Amino acid sequence: DAGVIQSPRHEVTEMGQEVTLRCKPISGHNSLFWYRQTMMRGLELLIYFNNNVPIDDSGMPEDRFSAKMPNASFSTLKIQPSEPRDSAVYFCASSFSGLAGQAGELFFGEGSRLTVL
Amino acid sequence: SQQGEEDPQALSIQEGENATMNCSYKTSINNLQWYRQNSGRGLVHLILIRSNEREKHSGRLRVTLDTSKKSSSLLITASRAADTASYFCATPRANQAGTALIFGKGTTLSVSS
């Protein structure tokens, strides 16, 4: 089975440019999560979706960040305009959430390493 | 905000030794999970322990949970160079509509041969 697929794996861009990161979750999973990892702040939850609906976006740092999940097999995280402090590794993860309040095992993609110059 | 905090931040041992990592958390939980991350890769789930369990084993891994102290530990026995990685604990944060995992900053384990 294919795991969570993220693209691009690496992106280098100039400050002010738009960045779009993509994620394909594991088929059958109903929850999708976007995390950001930096040395300083560790792994931060940005936003997550249940059944394609955004549930909690309180971790999205600013209005420059937006995420969508138009269907069960695709999600995007967009940064517009990008800034150097957005440089990080962005991870997408998916899971099957059954019982309410129960966090299932997360399956992570390999991440998208973003460098904003 | 982070829920779990791992201790120590870094750990260096020799092959064959045991490695113990600790995690403390702040609020009540119904389960706690441990993940591993190899350099440059995504996180991989290791083990889940429920709040009504005190200890769980998986191969060379042993996880304990003390809900009264709000703490967990991960023990890797007979460590190997291939165990070199970062290890994270994760706890659920729930609201009315869903549950997400919040991760600590991790323990970086280095096993030398």
Side-chain angles (χ1 to χ4, degrees), chain A residues 9 33 35 37 40-43 45 48 50 55-56 58 91 101-106 108-110, chain B residues 2 30-31 33 35 37 40-43 45 50 88 92-93 95 97-103 105:
Chain A
R9 290 295 312 279
F33 306 80
Y35 290 88
Q37 187 176 39
M40 287 289 291
R41 302 174 69 90
L43 200 63
L45 175 67
Y48 71 100
N50 273 5
I55 299 301
D56 184 349
S58 60
F91 286 102
Q102 295 280 345
E105 172 186 347
L106 293 190
F108 281 78
E110 296 287 24
Chain B
Q2 267 152 347
N30 53 32
N31 72 60
Q33 302 182 34
Y35 287 76
Q37 183 182 31
R41 306 295 299 274
L43 280 75
H45 180 264
R50 302 189 192 286
F88 298 86
R93 185 182 76 194
N95 62 25
T99 302
L101 283 183
I102 306 301
F103 289 82
K105 288 195 174 180

Side-chain angles (χ1 to χ4, degrees), chain A residues 10-81:
Chain A
H10 302 273
E11 172 119 2
V12 180
T13 190
E14 303 247 332
M15 182 173 64
Q17 296 297 306
E18 177 178 297
V19 173
T20 299
L21 307 178
R22 298 173 176 80
C23 175
K24 177 179 169 54
I26 292 173
S27 177
H29 283 184
N30 59 356
S31 295
L32 183 140
F33 306 80
W34 282 100
Y35 290 88
R36 175 172 72 175
Q37 187 176 39
T38 60
M39 289 294 292
M40 287 289 291
R41 302 174 69 90
L43 200 63
E44 301 173 278
L45 175 67
L46 299 178
I47 184 171
Y48 71 100
F49 298 82
N50 273 5
N51 299 311
N52 313 339
V53 175
I55 299 301
D56 184 349
D57 65 355
S58 60
M60 297 285 262
E62 299 170 31
D63 291 345
R64 298 184 297 105
F65 286 69
S66 62
K68 293 183 179 179
M69 191 163 187
N71 57 61
S73 57
F74 184 66
S75 176
T76 58
L77 178 67
K78 187 174 291 188
I79 308 172
Q80 164 66 14

Side-chain angles (χ1 to χ4, degrees), chain B residues 4-13 18-24 34 72-76 85-89 104-110:
Chain B
E5 293 290 337
E6 292 89 345
D7 170 62
Q9 289 187 334
L11 182 60
S12 293
I13 59 175
N18 295 343
T20 300
M21 289 157 268
N22 302 296
C23 169
S24 59
W34 284 91
S72 174
S73 68
L74 171 67
L75 168 67
I76 304 174
S86 292
Y87 293 83
F88 298 86
C89 68
K105 288 195 174 180
T107 292
T108 300
L109 174 65
S110 177

